[in-house]
Amino acid sequence: MKPPLILALLCVFVGACHRPAKDVKEAQTRLTDAPKWYIQEILMDDAPVFKEGKHIPHISGVEFDTYMDWVRFDPSGAFEGHFKGASETKMFQWEVYPKQNVIALRDTVAKTGGWNIYPRNVYEDHFEMETRSTIYDPPRMTKLTLKFKKNE
């Protein structure tokens, strides 16, 4: 092989590892393949408010004292989340919605909630889930994004 060809093949290989999932099926496979995902960052309206275990001052004044420090996706549809400092985990349910191209999480008891995971935000080593709520700044709608990564 000539050096330019080796470089080209390397670029193709590296690029494939750092591309988002193409659809919900690939996203589902990536999410369930990891034993656990760990919180990396929390954003409000795309502004970081929490990163690597520390709060970042934000105009909203919101601080997250309770958050999931790790999560796990089971192929059965179970979603397990561990809240920092808790002795037990919480169970939720995830479902794939191919027509909407989204994986959605719901509270297993109330059958409510609205955390969405889009394939464009699922990579081999990290993913994002997001929701919209008026809880943080009523009546204004706030977008909340949680970024998780694999612990390697």
Side-chain angles (χ1 to χ4, degrees), residues 14-23 26 30 119-120 122-124:
V14 171
C17 294
H18 296 296
R19 67 167 180 77
K22 66 179 180 267
D23 56 27
E26 184 177 1
R30 288 180 179 188
R120 68 178 180 264
V122 179
Y123 292 80
E124 296 279 339

Side-chain angles (χ1 to χ4, degrees), residues 3-72:
L5 184 56
I6 293 171
L7 183 60
L9 288 174
L10 183 60
C11 289
V12 168
F13 176 73
V14 171
C17 294
H18 296 296
R19 67 167 180 77
K22 66 179 180 267
D23 56 27
V24 290
K25 185 172 175 66
E26 184 177 1
Q28 174 184 344
T29 299
R30 288 180 179 188
L31 293 170
T32 57
D33 279 351
K36 285 184 183 176
W37 297 92
Y38 296 86
I39 190 73
Q40 180 181 19
E41 191 172 11
I42 302 173
L43 298 100
M44 287 184 71
D45 290 330
D46 299 320
V49 294
F50 177 91
K51 188 168 184 166
E52 298 171 0
K54 297 180 181 156
H55 292 283
I56 299 169
H58 185 262
I59 193 165
S60 69
V62 173
E63 286 191 11
F64 291 91
D65 297 327
T66 303
Y67 57 89
M68 283 187 265
D69 53 354
W70 63 262
V71 299
R72 179 182 333 190

Side-chain angles (χ1 to χ4, degrees), residues 78-99:
F79 173 84
E80 183 178 14
H82 180 264
F83 286 89
K84 183 144 179 89
S87 58
E88 296 180 7
T89 59
K90 295 283 185 179
M91 297 302 290
F92 301 91
Q93 191 70 27
W94 61 266
E95 275 191 61
V96 174
Y97 296 92
K99 284 186 179 180

Side-chain angles (χ1 to χ4, degrees), residues 109-125:
V109 176
K111 305 283 189 228
T112 61
W115 287 98
N116 295 315
I117 303 170
Y118 299 97
R120 68 178 180 264
N121 295 326
V122 179
Y123 292 80
E124 296 279 339
D125 61 350

